[in-house]
Amino acid sequence: MRLRRHGSTRHIRRRAAALALFALGCRGRTDGGIDGAVAIGVGAIPGSPNYAQVVEGVEMAVARLNEQTGGPRFRVQLPDSSARSAVRVAQLLRDTPSVIAVVGHPESGNTLEAIPIYADAEHDGLDGVVAISPTSSSPRLSGISPWFFRVSPSDADAARVTAQWVLDSLGASRAAIVYRNDSYGRDWARTFGDVFVRGGGAVVMRDPYLTGVVEWDAYASQLATLRPDVLLFPGDGDDALALMQALRARGVSIPFIGGDGTETMKQHAEAAGARYVSFFEEPRASSKEAQYFLPTYRARFRRVPDMFAALSYDAALVVGRTVINGARTRSALRLALERVGNGAPSVDGVAGRIAFEKNHDIKGRTVVITRVPGTVAPANAKASGAQP
């Protein structure tokens, strides 16, 4: 970290600009640029997985916000296409004066890297900008920065709900856990295991894996021997499919539950019958805002929205509604968002009501355990676990 020189040219320019904008109505870093619109930035690496869905969600929220009359106009600020890291994306958006807030990042790892940049920690928050993640779920993000909020539950909340559901609804007493060996997988495995054991269950297998360097047949062989009642898989969708294929090759049928990182497996027929955790499912969305969003999204993009699009819409919408209600600077927006659902009205979102806890986590957001439609018969019938 370089030392801050109080008299540097950069900071003289910054403070002069801030004073000038204050004199023009306390608009801070939201002068709107050439077109006068307030910008909501997309905090995601161009071309990365789920980038398009985040952009689509923000675009739809901005269109929705611009239907209102008499308030500020909004626009989408995309990161430069040359940005190849979360840090660079954050720098570009933070240093764009018209950006009042950022929707992103969708991944916990990139969010952790970008938060100090959005918070302008190097300069004590001089140019800090709010970042609201649609889907970052690491427990380490709870209360990490006054500039960070999120509209999805944490992994700890999701794993806790899933463990209780497995105990109560499946009646399982013996669980196996195969988890991706990173903070996401470890957090899920630890919390699920703790809750499951406290509820009277036993974890008979708890094994990590690394994408690209794993022999799935070895895991399938061990699971065939242990015959657990349920298999929890906090990993990603492609790896989930690979393990299911290895299990079927051995004739092993075990109720399979993927973490929220496995949602993409629903696109594959071979995952039929498996379950996964999600923070949004289109058939279950019934809020007033969902009644607008769902048909409009399908008409515009010719497909059903996933949780990345829906929750990015919610994140941008709560920003816009709060700006419309009077929070016209970055600092004012941060303080106003803290009051959403805590003295100020909550905001109706696609996935439910939006309100924030004191640690800036979403308050009362639903965790959905969804079954992939259809059934897939195993290749043979050597072993089987309990069925849901």
Side-chain angles (χ1 to χ4, degrees):
M1 181 183 295
R2 67 177 175 81
L3 294 176
R4 179 181 178 186
R5 294 181 298 169
H6 183 73
S8 70
T9 302
R10 180 186 181 196
H11 286 90
I12 290 173
R13 286 201 304 267
R14 279 184 170 182
R15 292 188 181 281
L19 288 170
L21 289 167
F22 181 85
L24 291 173
C26 298
R27 290 178 61 85
R29 298 278 290 179
T30 58
D31 59 329
I34 294 174
D35 60 6
V38 175
I40 299 176
V42 172
I45 300 171
S48 62
N50 307 308
Y51 173 78
Q53 294 94 313
V54 174
V55 173
E56 290 165 0
V58 176
E59 286 177 346
M60 283 200 56
V62 164
R64 177 71 157 162
L65 292 166
N66 284 336
E67 292 176 355
Q68 51 83 38
T69 58
R73 301 294 293 171
F74 294 88
R75 65 180 178 84
V76 180
Q77 179 70 44
L78 298 178
D80 191 282
S81 59
S82 65
R84 289 293 177 263
S85 72
V87 167
R88 182 58 179 157
V89 168
Q91 289 172 334
L92 291 169
L93 293 174
R94 183 200 62 194
D95 293 340
T96 301
S98 58
V99 171
I100 197 166
V102 173
V103 173
H105 289 241
E107 318 88 356
S108 293
N110 284 334
T111 299
L112 286 164
E113 291 182 7
I115 283 174
I117 310 302
Y118 290 124
D120 199 15
E122 186 179 9
H123 308 113
D124 301 321
L126 179 65
D127 278 346
V129 61
V130 163
I132 304 185
S133 175
T135 53
S136 294
S137 53
S138 170
R140 289 185 291 166
L141 293 169
S142 297
I144 194 171
S145 167
W147 294 96
F148 177 74
F149 298 76
R150 58 177 162 187
V151 293
S152 63
S154 73
D155 288 333
D157 290 335
R160 188 179 305 112
V161 169
T162 303
Q164 199 60 55
W165 184 86
V166 166
L167 288 163
D168 296 342
S169 298
L170 292 188
S173 60
R174 301 173 72 253
I177 305 172
V178 177
Y179 62 94
R180 193 173 66 204
N181 196 14
D182 58 10
S183 60
Y184 160 74
R186 290 190 294 268
D187 288 339
W188 254 93
R190 181 176 57 253
T191 302
F192 177 95
D194 289 348
V195 174
F196 192 73
V197 170
R198 285 201 303 269
V203 175
V204 298
M205 173 182 175
R206 192 193 307 243
D207 283 7
Y209 79 89
L210 291 173
T211 299
V213 291
V214 60
E215 293 292 337
W216 291 115
D217 186 64
Y219 289 85
S221 177
Q222 186 175 1
L223 288 163
T225 300
L226 291 170
R227 298 170 64 95
D229 299 327
V230 67
L231 169 59
L232 178 77
F233 189 86
D236 62 38
D238 289 342
D239 292 330
L241 289 171
L243 178 54
M244 281 188 275
Q245 289 166 354
L247 288 168
R248 279 199 300 274
R250 285 184 167 270
V252 181
S253 179
I254 304 170
F256 185 104
I257 302 179
D260 58 280
T262 65
E263 186 188 27
T264 57
M265 72 181 185
K266 71 181 180 182
Q267 302 166 8
H268 301 270
E270 57 200 313
R275 289 182 169 87
Y276 62 91
V277 174
S278 181
F279 305 137
F280 166 81
E281 282 298 316
E282 187 259 355
R284 305 190 188 195
S286 59
S287 68
K288 181 178 179 180
E289 199 61 36
Q291 294 170 21
Y292 163 83
F293 173 81
L294 296 177
T296 307
Y297 185 97
R298 287 194 296 266
R300 180 170 178 178
F301 299 109
R302 305 298 179 186
R303 63 179 182 275
V304 174
D306 63 11
M307 71 174 181
F308 296 96
L311 295 182
S312 294
Y313 178 93
D314 279 2
L317 194 71
V318 72
V319 166
R321 298 286 189 219
T322 308
V323 170
I324 290 169
N325 287 337
R328 303 299 174 86
T329 68
R330 291 178 173 183
S331 294
L333 176 63
R334 177 177 67 81
L335 295 173
L337 285 171
E338 291 180 342
R339 295 193 293 271
V340 172
N342 300 286
S346 57
V347 173
D348 185 44
V350 173
R353 301 299 294 176
I354 303 171
F356 296 107
E357 302 280 6
K358 290 183 178 180
N359 63 2
H360 295 186
D361 281 356
I362 190 72
K363 182 185 293 186
R365 184 53 63 88
T366 300
V367 174
V368 181
I369 300 173
T370 300
R371 186 179 184 276
V372 180
T375 57
V376 175
N380 47 56
K382 294 179 181 177
S384 64
Q387 294 299 313

